[in-house]
Each structure stands twice: as C-alpha cells, then as structure tokens.
Amino acid sequence: MARTIPYLSKPSIASRADALLDAFGAVHGKVTAPPIPVEDILECHLKLSLGFDDLSLRFGSSDVLGAIWIGRREVLIDQRLDPVEHVGTEGRYRFTIAHEIGHWELHRDLLTDVRQLGFPGDLAASPSLVCRRSEAKKPIEWQADRFAADLLMPAGVLRQAWLATVGTPDPLVYDDHKNTTFARRPYSRGMTSIGTVMRRSTEEEHSYFFEKVAREFAPKFQVSNQAMRIRLEDMGLLRTHREASLFI
Amino acid sequence: MSHPKRFGEVIRARREEMQITLRKFAATVEMSPTYLSKVERGEFPPPAEKKILAIAKNLDLDSDELLGLAGRVASDVSQIIQKQPTEMASFLRAAGDLPKGELERMLRQMQKRSKE
C-alpha cells in the first residue's frame, strides 16, 4: 500500500520526542538521568498493550522486529528480542520499543487498521504497520528510528552525561588522541583471524576510538554500542578532525 | 467456567489497570515476559497452580476465582475432598444447585460452628 509520509525534519522529530518525555515527566516524575523508561512510557503513559510473539512465524519472515495495531492500541515485539530470555538483546529490545512509540506519536493518524475483525485480542486482523529490518530506509521507518534515538538518548540528558564523564562539554576529536594508547587498538597476543585483519585494515582509523568512547555511555542509557556511537557522531560530540567538515 | 482465553484477558486487564509493565510483572511472578505475554493473549494455557496463586496475589484478585477461570481446583480443596470422598462428593452435589446467597449463608453458619 503506497503511503505518502509527510517530511519531518530532524529537529521537529527531536522536539516531538522531548514533548513526550516532558508529558511523561509531568505525570510520573521528570526524567533527569538515563536510562529512559521506555517501557513505562509505552505501557503506563501511552497505555498501549505490549506483548512478545513469534513474529517470524506470524508474518512468515525472520526480518520482523515489531508490529503495531493502532486501533487496538497494541504493540508486539519479536520474542527473539526478549531481554530476559535472550541475554544481550536489551539494547535492541529498547530501541524497538522506542521505535514503535515513534510510529504511535508520529504516524498514528496516517495509519489505520486494515481490518478490525474478531474479538479483542484477535490478531488475525492485519496490523497497522509491520516493522522489518530490511525496510529501515523507508521514510516512515527512518522517522521512527530517528524518534527512537531522540527518545532513548535525549540530547540534553546525553550532554549532561558527556560533561560528567568527559569533564568538558566539548567534542572529542580523534586527531587529538590518535597517538594515545587509549585510541590505539591494542596488539593482539593471540592469533587474529584473516577475516578480522582484513576487516580492520578497511575500517576507518577512528572506529576503534569512537567505539571505545561510546562504550562509556551505552550501558548507562541501555542502548547498543552502535546506537550510542551513531548518536554521539550525529550530535557532533565525536569528530575525526578539529575543523568542521562535511565528512565527520 | 474454565476459559483459558478469558483467564489471560482478566489478568492482562488487571495488570494494565494497576499500571504494572509486562516485564516487571513477569519478574514478580518469576515468568519470562514472552511466556507471560502468551498466557495473557491466550496463546498458551494458564500456568501451574503455584504461578496462578502468585499472579492472583500480586494482582489482588481472588485466587479461587482465578483458578476457576483456569479450569483448576485449588490443591487444598482437592485434598479435602479426597479425605472423605463419598461424603464430600454428596455434599458438593447437593450444594451445587444452591443459589449464591444460600451458599454464603450456609458458609457463615459453618464457619461459626467450627469456631465453637
């Protein structure tokens, strides 16, 4: 089904996420420190029903992370992301929750349930939206991802954490640190596989440094390291060169 | 009447009314969020008696009523019947047709008598 998704700028998406966080804070107590309670926001504040299900079975593809039924106010997350049953999925799980919140906040007026058959809880009716990993670049999915990042790692909260950890509000620039032991990947004593050697030779030099810095913040915000790194780069807190350039 | 899907609906509605997240409640009753979710949505049958009692306790629901929805009888009740099977079975068959008010009145009388 073709859908025209209205364009939303990055700042406008960020302000929507901030507004939601403020609204949540007004009722449940202001959120001043990470991690952002996205489960409480979804279930208690927005009053959407959350469930885990085998979405690969339900939708016939292993690509599906989440699905949302707007009319029924229901969200299902793929059970492979259950952070209690599967250690190490906490970040992806929380990101998917925040992503579905993004659809609710940004797109619920655009999405309607295709059919509303059956009794409550009958999920035979088609969902308003099924979120597939392979469709991440679609505008509607990009917007929800952007919202998720803004919700999980709000700029204000992240800058505060940055200041507390780094000691200054200024960005960390790879060029300033590339000759330090912190920034350099340690020599491995054991055998390194050919695949790893080849991967490392093509990776940007600054990758290791950026990832190491992201690791200082990802656990606090309970997001994946990758999500935190992308966020820090996006906010300009991680740079390769001192001068502002088109290429980070 | 036993109603597995209704069991799930009842506990989910109550949990949401009490504003307890799926994950937190799952941890409280020592179930995984996926398992709890499937019970709530009627995809899995109601769990073992011990879990149902924990669920009832934490949702402030009547445990016998919840067990009834799950099609179970509390194990202490089963034991009582088995101690005097013939008498208890006759008793229950006779009491089975009594309206609720009548049953409650008899219950109060019996409770008074057992105190004396």
Side-chain angles (χ1 to χ4, degrees):
Chain A
M1 198 196 312
R3 249 183 240 135
T4 332
I5 306 302
Y7 169 74
L8 289 171
S9 70
K10 288 182 186 178
S12 77
I13 295 175
S15 72
R16 297 286 291 270
D18 284 338
L20 177 63
L21 211 48
D22 285 342
F24 175 82
V27 181
H28 302 266
K30 185 163 186 223
V31 180
T32 49
I36 307 300
V38 289
E39 286 154 314
D40 290 275
I41 292 172
L42 182 84
E43 296 185 72
C44 304
H45 182 69
L46 297 175
K47 301 210 195 300
L48 303 179
S49 287
L50 176 66
F52 285 94
D53 196 46
D54 187 346
L55 297 186
S56 60
L57 186 66
R58 188 174 289 276
F59 297 113
S61 107
S62 60
D63 195 32
V64 183
L65 299 163
I68 185 164
W69 285 255
I70 300 290
R72 282 207 183 89
R73 302 183 77 101
E74 190 136 17
V75 168
L76 284 189
I77 305 277
D78 187 54
Q79 63 192 37
R80 283 170 305 166
L81 295 180
D82 181 332
V84 172
E85 285 200 356
H86 305 285
V87 177
T89 58
E90 185 81 47
R92 277 178 293 149
Y93 159 68
R94 283 167 54 78
F95 199 90
T96 308
I97 298 249
H99 175 103
E100 299 304 332
I101 292 175
H103 282 312
W104 176 264
E105 286 290 287
L106 302 176
H107 307 132
R108 68 177 181 274
D109 296 329
L110 305 164
L111 301 166
T112 48
D113 288 318
V114 173
R115 288 174 311 182
Q116 295 254 4
L117 296 170
F119 38 84
D122 174 13
L123 298 175
S126 293
S128 312
L129 193 61
V130 173
C131 300
R132 298 175 194 274
R133 246 197 310 254
S134 58
E135 294 178 345
K137 292 205 164 78
K138 282 167 69 170
I140 198 173
E141 297 300 337
W142 178 88
Q143 287 179 357
D145 272 349
R146 188 80 206 173
F147 185 98
D150 286 324
L151 188 65
L152 286 165
M153 299 167 281
V157 179
L158 186 48
R159 282 189 196 280
Q160 242 178 356
W162 181 269
L163 182 63
T165 304
V166 177
T168 118
D170 302 327
L172 283 175
V173 183
Y174 174 67
D175 279 352
D176 295 344
H177 298 269
K178 63 181 166 197
N179 294 313
T180 64
T181 48
F182 180 86
R184 261 182 291 143
R185 195 191 303 280
Y187 292 116
S188 98
R189 286 196 208 166
M191 299 246 289
T192 311
S193 74
I194 287 287
T196 306
V197 169
M198 291 186 66
R199 178 176 56 81
R200 283 178 184 169
S201 68
T202 54
E203 244 170 26
E204 309 281 9
E205 272 186 10
H206 58 266
S207 266
Y208 179 74
F209 173 65
F210 280 12
E211 270 159 31
K212 209 165 172 183
V213 175
R215 229 174 288 148
E216 296 295 313
F217 298 94
K220 258 181 240 167
F221 285 77
Q222 282 180 31
V223 295
S224 69
N225 216 58
Q226 184 189 38
M228 180 53 75
R229 178 193 159 165
I230 292 170
R231 184 66 168 164
L232 291 173
E233 287 187 62
D234 190 72
M235 284 173 66
L237 288 169
L238 283 174
R239 308 187 105 106
T240 45
H241 312 298
R242 205 141 252 293
E243 325 85 59
S245 88
L246 241 102
F247 314 101
I248 272 292
Chain B
M1 268 281 104
S2 141
H3 230 289
K5 200 150 187 168
R6 181 108 179 87
F7 175 87
E9 283 166 12
V10 165
I11 65 173
R12 170 145 85 157
R14 183 76 177 130
R15 176 180 66 72
E16 290 178 349
E17 192 189 348
M18 292 175 75
Q19 298 219 359
I20 306 171
T21 62
L22 176 74
R23 189 175 179 177
K24 203 181 299 170
F25 192 70
T28 304
V29 297
E30 291 177 4
M31 291 166 74
S32 87
T34 298
Y35 184 23
L36 177 62
S37 177
K38 292 189 173 183
V39 170
E40 284 186 346
R41 291 177 296 110
E43 302 241 335
F44 278 1
E49 177 179 338
K50 231 169 95 173
K51 286 280 178 251
I52 295 177
L53 295 179
I55 290 170
K57 177 166 176 243
N58 286 286
L59 292 179
D60 208 15
L61 291 171
D62 184 277
S63 52
D64 289 319
E65 196 169 334
L66 208 55
L67 281 167
L69 275 178
R72 312 268 171 86
V73 173
S75 49
D76 62 333
V77 170
S78 297
Q79 278 168 12
I80 290 167
I81 296 171
Q82 277 164 52
K83 261 192 243 166
Q84 301 173 88
T86 321
E87 295 82 355
M88 280 298 170
S90 306
F91 180 83
L92 286 171
R93 286 193 188 103
D97 290 325
L98 291 172
K100 192 171 177 176
E102 192 58 49
L103 213 53
E104 283 171 348
R105 197 152 7 106
M106 276 189 69
L107 178 65
R108 281 195 295 272
Q109 278 185 322
M110 285 196 281
Q111 284 169 338
K112 224 192 301 174
R113 201 168 297 158
S114 65
K115 279 201 194 116
E116 289 160 6

